[in-house]
Each structure stands twice: as C-alpha cells, then as structure tokens.
Amino acid sequence: MKEITDVKEAGLAAIERSNDLNELTQVRNEYLSKKGLVASLMSGMKDLDASLRPAFGALINDCKEELEKALKQKQEALTLVALQEKMAKDWIDISLPATKFPVGNLHPLTLVQQEIEDIFRSMGYRVVEGPEVELDLYNFERANIPADHPARDMQDTFYVDSKWLLRTHTTAIQTRTLEKSADSLPIKVVCPGKVYRRDDDDATHSHQFTQIEGLVVGENITLADLKGTLQLLAKSMFGEQRIIRFRPSYFQFTEPSVEVDVSCHICNGKGCNVCKGSGWIEILGAGMVHPHVLDMAGIDGTKYTGFAFGLGVERVAMLKYGIDDIRHCYTNDARFLSLFKRFE
Ligand code: FA5
C-alpha cells in the first residue's frame, strides 16, 4: 500500500515538473503504459491475501485516476502555453505596407475588340473565329474574287503554297460561316481576328493587323438595317453626337458597296488635323452581300439578303485613343501599354 502511495506521489510530482508536451508523454509512458509502474503494481495483486485485494484494488484505481486527471490538466495547460508561444513568435504586422507586384493591363487592341464584341453581343450577335492560315477558296474564291481577278491586287497576299495563304481579311470567316450556316438561317455574327498583307509598314499600315467583320443574313435585310447598325456602333464607340455617312465604294463580295465615315469626334465635324480638315473619318468598308456569294455558299440569293462590314481594329483604336502611329501597337513598349490602364 505504501508503494502505491509513493508511486502516485512521485508520478504527480513528475507531471508537475514537466516543461513541455514531450516530457509529459514520457511521464505518461513511465507510469500509465502497459509496462508502466502502475501496471506492474497491479500485477502484484495476485500475490496478495484475498481479504486485502479490494482495498489494494481501490487504492490502485485511485492512483491511476489521479495520475490521469493530473496528466489531462497538465496537457491542456502545456498546449495553451505552446499555442501562446507560437502566436508570440509568428505574429505579423498587418499595418505594414504590402509588397507591390506590377499588374499588367489589357492591350488597346484587346480593349477595342472587346468593346465592339460587347456592343454586338448586346444585339444578339454571335462571335465566330476562323483559321489564320486559310484556303484560297474561302479567302478569295468564295468572296467572289476568282484567280487572276485584278481585285486580288488590292490585298497583296502572303502565300504558303498554291492553295494555302495567310488570310488577308476576316471576310474568310464570313464565307466559312455562310457555308456552315446555310441550313440554319438567319445569321448574325461578328468575326474578329488577325489578318496579313504584304503592305509596307508605316504610321497607318502594318503587315499584320486586326479586323472585325460583321455579317447578317436573313429575309428582308436591307441597306437601311446596315446603316442603323453602323450608326449605333459609331455612337457607342465615339459618343452620342456622332453621325455616319455612306460613300459609294467597291468590294467584289458586296453589291452595292460603301465606305463609311463617322463625323470627327475631336472637332465635331468642323475640321481639324485628325480628320485632315474634312470633318469626317473613314472607319470601315461595308455593303450588301453579293447574291453570287450567297449562292456559292448554298444560300438562295433570290430569297435571302444580307449585309456585311469589315473594320480595322488598329485604326479604330488610333482614333479612339489618339494613337499617332500604328507601330506603337506592336512594339510592346510598357510605357505606352500602361497608358491604357484607366480605360479598363
Ligand atoms: C476589307 O478588308 C474588306 N474585307 C472589308 C469588308 C468586309 C467590306 C465586308 C465589305 C464587307 P479593306 O481592305 O478596306 O477591306 O480593309 C478594311 C479595313 O482594314 C480598312 O478600313 C482599314 O481600317 C484596315 N486596314 C487595311 N489595311 C490595313 C493595314 N495594312 N494596316 C492596318 N489596317 C489596315
């Protein structure tokens, strides 16, 4: 009996002395594990006289319970201390200024493209893309520009071989869409994408630039629909005061064809150096889809009509943001690009 009390006292003292959870685990193992001191005391019970066993058993149980209780309390206390130490060590000053990471912004051409896409999406148009390496068939033949036709000279072409070329205009996406959607009219799409021409680079020309083509085909589509649509585009892009005008033009795949000017947003039509004194700025080419173009795609040109237009995204961005040289769009000067942060 004395031995039990000694073990208990010694155990309680060892628990009290433990400075961290590791030490406490060692004490637990020493006293309460299967081969610990309490278990070995217990194994002595079988050698005792039967009359002494109940009192012995009760004392052992009391010893065990007291040690377990003390261990639990100490464990909670040490866990709390460990947490407090960790918190004291790991604290951060949330009022310190954070490290600033340079954040990029959208390219002006992306901004203009997204703005135009959004305007047309709000009118129920789909956005359709196509391949940049294109078949002569879709870029020229289906656009009513057969081989050896002089109209091919208007768009000097990078050929890959006799069949394949780098598309010269997004009209190639138009001719593909016409063929694909011949059985599911009406068509209402805008087609953005990169195009390539053997033009000499200067302030307003690039050998690679971006176009957005618009195409609507259905019953009773007229030139008035084209004009209303482009009027809305001009107002959305350049302001409510803008008006547009049509000038007769020529494209092989539209008849009639027009070139579209918007009243100058800098001088309000009075004449300035941006509009070269005329009060008008040319923004795109357009027209009614030639019936032969519809026929070639398998659409009845006597029943259905359509309009199409194609604009240069760089030229629109130059007008909208006052960019004086198209080459700025392609030289990746971070100072130039960062100017467009505020437009996002
Ligand atoms: C065409 O490419 C016609 N496919 C547009 C069209 C579509 C007409 C549907 C009718 C119906 P054009 O060659 O004019 O047309 O080019 C359209 C626009 O692309 C021009 O108004 C101009 O804004 C831009 N553009 C043309 N060449 C260049 C170039 N080298 N660099 C930058 N922009 C250019």
Side-chain angles (χ1 to χ4, degrees):
M1 301 285 190
K2 166 91 172 55
E3 217 178 318
I4 297 174
T5 317
D6 288 348
V7 166
K8 184 169 100 178
E9 296 295 317
L12 289 174
I15 291 169
E16 190 52 42
R17 277 198 311 276
S18 298
N19 286 319
D20 58 38
L21 291 166
N22 272 344
E23 279 181 39
L24 196 64
T25 307
Q26 277 171 22
V27 176
R28 183 193 299 276
N29 291 340
E30 189 182 343
Y31 285 83
L32 293 177
S33 66
K34 275 188 189 154
K35 291 184 178 164
L37 292 171
V38 174
S40 77
L41 285 174
M42 195 92 94
S43 67
M45 189 144 85
K46 62 182 183 320
D47 304 327
L48 283 180
D49 189 275
S51 62
L52 291 173
R53 284 186 194 165
F56 183 89
L59 205 58
I60 284 263
N61 273 343
D62 171 68
C63 167
K64 199 175 158 193
E65 275 166 22
E66 285 231 11
L67 288 175
E68 273 171 351
K69 198 169 123 204
L71 271 167
K72 189 165 175 261
Q73 279 172 359
K74 188 73 181 183
Q75 182 172 2
E76 281 169 8
L78 287 176
T79 307
L80 190 65
V81 170
L83 181 68
Q84 279 165 348
E85 274 173 9
K86 188 169 163 26
M87 280 167 64
K89 216 165 51 189
D90 289 355
W91 74 282
I92 52 164
D93 181 353
I94 57 167
S95 66
L96 277 175
T99 313
K100 279 205 173 138
F101 294 105
V103 178
N105 55 282
L106 293 178
H107 193 281
L109 298 181
T110 309
L111 289 172
V112 169
Q113 183 174 327
Q114 286 184 349
E115 192 177 344
I116 295 174
E117 285 178 13
D118 285 347
I119 293 167
F120 282 97
R121 271 204 199 91
S122 75
M123 293 192 282
Y125 283 66
R126 279 187 304 127
V127 178
V128 175
E129 295 186 340
E132 287 172 38
V133 179
E134 184 53 284
L135 283 167
D136 184 291
L137 174 73
Y138 292 109
N139 195 80
F140 287 130
E141 294 277 336
R142 288 287 178 85
N144 209 17
I145 311 174
D148 302 326
H149 194 283
R152 289 200 182 203
D153 297 343
M154 288 162 69
Q155 300 178 1
D156 238 346
T157 312
F158 289 110
Y159 280 95
V160 176
D161 58 29
S162 57
K163 258 167 85 180
W164 293 92
L165 46 79
L166 298 187
R167 70 181 173 203
T168 57
H169 52 180
T170 42
T171 302
I173 313 179
Q174 181 196 144
T175 57
R176 280 180 176 272
T177 308
L178 285 171
E179 181 184 87
K180 210 168 165 190
S181 307
D183 297 327
S184 52
L185 300 176
I187 297 169
K188 249 176 120 176
V189 291
V190 277
C191 315
K194 290 193 182 94
V195 297
Y196 304 82
R197 290 185 195 176
R198 285 163 39 125
D199 281 343
D200 291 331
D201 290 359
D202 62 23
T204 52
H205 291 83
S206 174
H207 56 281
Q208 180 248 290
F209 57 103
T210 322
Q211 287 189 335
I212 296 187
E213 185 107 350
L215 171 69
V216 173
V217 178
E219 282 182 81
N220 304 319
I221 305 292
T222 69
L223 201 65
D225 296 316
L226 172 63
K227 193 161 188 182
T229 305
L230 294 179
Q231 179 70 73
L232 192 139
L233 174 69
K235 281 181 192 286
S236 307
M237 293 296 294
F238 297 107
E240 263 313 297
Q241 310 303 317
R242 303 282 63 82
I243 53 171
I244 57 167
R245 72 175 183 187
F246 279 5
R247 276 181 295 110
S249 184
Y250 172 79
F251 295 104
Q252 189 72 14
F253 35 90
T254 47
E255 180 59 37
S257 301
V258 291
E259 233 142 15
V260 181
D261 300 336
V262 60
S263 58
C264 179
H265 59 299
I266 305 293
C267 62
N268 240 340
K270 290 189 196 75
C272 66
N273 58 351
V274 172
C275 60
K276 302 197 178 77
S278 73
W280 296 93
I281 296 171
E282 183 198 320
I283 54 164
L284 53 83
M288 299 304 291
V289 182
H290 197 295
H292 187 48
V293 170
L294 294 177
D295 286 341
M296 281 189 286
I299 297 172
D300 184 352
T302 59
K303 185 171 174 206
Y304 296 102
T305 51
F307 68 69
F309 60 86
L311 61 80
V313 174
E314 285 79 359
R315 299 274 175 87
V316 173
M318 289 170 83
L319 288 173
K320 197 169 159 74
Y321 301 126
I323 301 168
D324 61 357
D325 192 319
I326 195 171
R327 288 168 288 203
H328 287 311
C329 295
Y330 293 105
T331 41
N332 285 336
D333 185 333
R335 290 168 304 175
F336 169 75
L337 297 176
S338 67
L339 296 174
F340 298 92
K341 237 180 198 132
R342 62 202 167 98
F343 293 110
E344 287 179 9

